[in-house]
Amino acid sequence: MTVKIIKCNREDLQLLREISIETFNDTFRNQNSPENMKAYLERAFNSKQLEKELTNISSGFYFIYFNDEIAGYLKVNINDAQSEKMGDESLEIERIYIRNKFQRKGFGKYLINTAVEIAEEQNKENIWLGVWEKNENAICFYKKIGFVQTGAHSFYMGNEEQFDVIMTKTLI
Ligand SMILES: CC(C)(COP(=O)(O)OP(=O)(O)OC[C@H]1O[C@@H](n2cnc3c(N)ncnc32)[C@H](O)[C@@H]1OP(=O)(O)O)[C@@H](O)C(=O)NCCC(=O)NCCS
């Protein structure tokens, strides 16, 4: 069994798009209307938007492979790419998604450890993320690996305002 982390580049755009749409759909379609899902997917994962994010030097996308198959992906942001003004000492995990059949096998934890390594290499003091208040599985996972709630913010899923819990893990 081989687990590998590979940083994505411009050539990975279409693959990244496919994995992003698949995992977002699988995670949220049962709790959201088809209209709001469609609006979000079109806005967040259109090729132009993803290309902009992929080529932003303050963001990084990483695929996690199990043998030759992609098991999931991670997106991290620093500096101005962070979706809240958390400052230069913070690193944001904006997206962490494991494909259904690979969940609960340690891949999510592996990606969190990758984010911790990236943050430590850059002397960051903490890692933070926003998680939908209704995403109980993810909240349990984050608590299990040492994140604590430090705030909240709202965002739009289509035309519906929803609330994210902000969770932080201190590194020093
Ligand atoms: C949330 C997610 C990233 C977790 O990754 P994962 O690979 O399934 O979790 P892991 O196998 O690495 O679990 C790590 C630890 O968390 C625990 N854990 C994971 N999910 C859990 C849950 N729903 N409830 C309680 N504990 C959980 C595991 O038992 C494990 O504990 P251990 O280290 O003592 O064995 C993954 O399930 C996922 O992608 N879900 C759908 C997308 C999503 O919600 N992403 C987050 C958006 S903010």
Side-chain angles (χ1 to χ4, degrees), residues 23-24 26-28 71-73 93-100 102-112 129-132 135-145 164:
T23 51
F24 195 88
D26 286 347
T27 307
F28 298 115
Y73 79 102
I93 294 182
E94 188 183 354
R95 297 183 196 136
I96 177 167
Y97 286 88
I98 302 299
R99 297 169 94 182
N100 276 356
F102 292 104
Q103 287 177 13
R104 303 294 293 259
K105 292 178 165 51
F107 292 106
K109 198 167 166 182
Y110 202 107
L111 281 181
I112 294 283
L129 53 85
V131 51
W132 187 28
N135 191 349
E136 289 167 13
N137 280 329
I139 291 173
C140 286
F141 163 73
Y142 295 133
K143 281 186 183 156
K144 186 87 190 263
I145 54 179
D164 263 357

Side-chain angles (χ1 to χ4, degrees), residues 23 25 37 42 48 51 68 73 99 130 132 144 160:
T23 51
N25 253 321
M37 286 295 288
E42 281 172 2
K48 211 169 164 191
E51 181 173 20
D68 291 328
Y73 79 102
R99 297 169 94 182
W132 187 28
K144 186 87 190 263
E160 186 186 327

Side-chain angles (χ1 to χ4, degrees), residues 16-164:
L16 177 64
R17 194 162 173 267
E18 283 167 28
I19 301 289
S20 302
I21 292 171
E22 174 196 307
T23 51
F24 195 88
N25 253 321
D26 286 347
T27 307
F28 298 115
R29 78 173 151 241
N30 289 340
Q31 290 169 286
N32 290 280
S33 72
E35 297 74 28
N36 285 344
M37 286 295 288
K38 186 165 179 283
Y40 187 92
L41 288 168
E42 281 172 2
R43 181 168 60 82
F45 301 131
N46 70 71
S47 297
K48 211 169 164 191
Q49 176 61 28
L50 270 187
E51 181 173 20
K52 199 169 129 199
E53 294 177 24
L54 256 177
T55 51
N56 184 338
I57 53 163
S58 296
S59 296
F61 287 87
Y62 300 83
F63 287 140
I64 182 164
Y65 280 87
F66 178 69
N67 295 329
D68 291 328
E69 225 181 324
I70 295 180
Y73 79 102
L74 168 76
K75 180 188 181 196
V76 297
N77 297 320
I78 56 169
N79 304 335
D80 289 348
Q82 296 177 95
S83 59
E84 294 278 340
K85 290 194 187 326
M86 293 292 189
D88 292 350
E89 65 283 356
S90 298
L91 176 141
E92 175 185 15
I93 294 182
E94 188 183 354
R95 297 183 196 136
I96 177 167
Y97 286 88
I98 302 299
R99 297 169 94 182
N100 276 356
K101 73 168 176 175
F102 292 104
Q103 287 177 13
R104 303 294 293 259
K105 292 178 165 51
F107 292 106
K109 198 167 166 182
Y110 202 107
L111 281 181
I112 294 283
N113 289 339
T114 301
V116 169
E117 279 168 26
I118 296 166
E120 284 177 346
E121 275 164 18
Q122 303 189 35
N123 297 315
K124 302 298 182 194
E125 293 175 7
N126 61 69
I127 296 186
W128 71 277
L129 53 85
V131 51
W132 187 28
E133 60 179 348
K134 293 189 180 159
N135 191 349
E136 289 167 13
N137 280 329
I139 291 173
C140 286
F141 163 73
Y142 295 133
K143 281 186 183 156
K144 186 87 190 263
I145 54 179
F147 283 79
V148 293
Q149 180 170 358
T150 49
H153 68 189
S154 73
F155 68 101
Y156 276 86
M157 174 72 105
N159 59 10
E160 186 186 327
E161 187 178 21
Q162 300 189 344
F163 293 90
D164 263 357

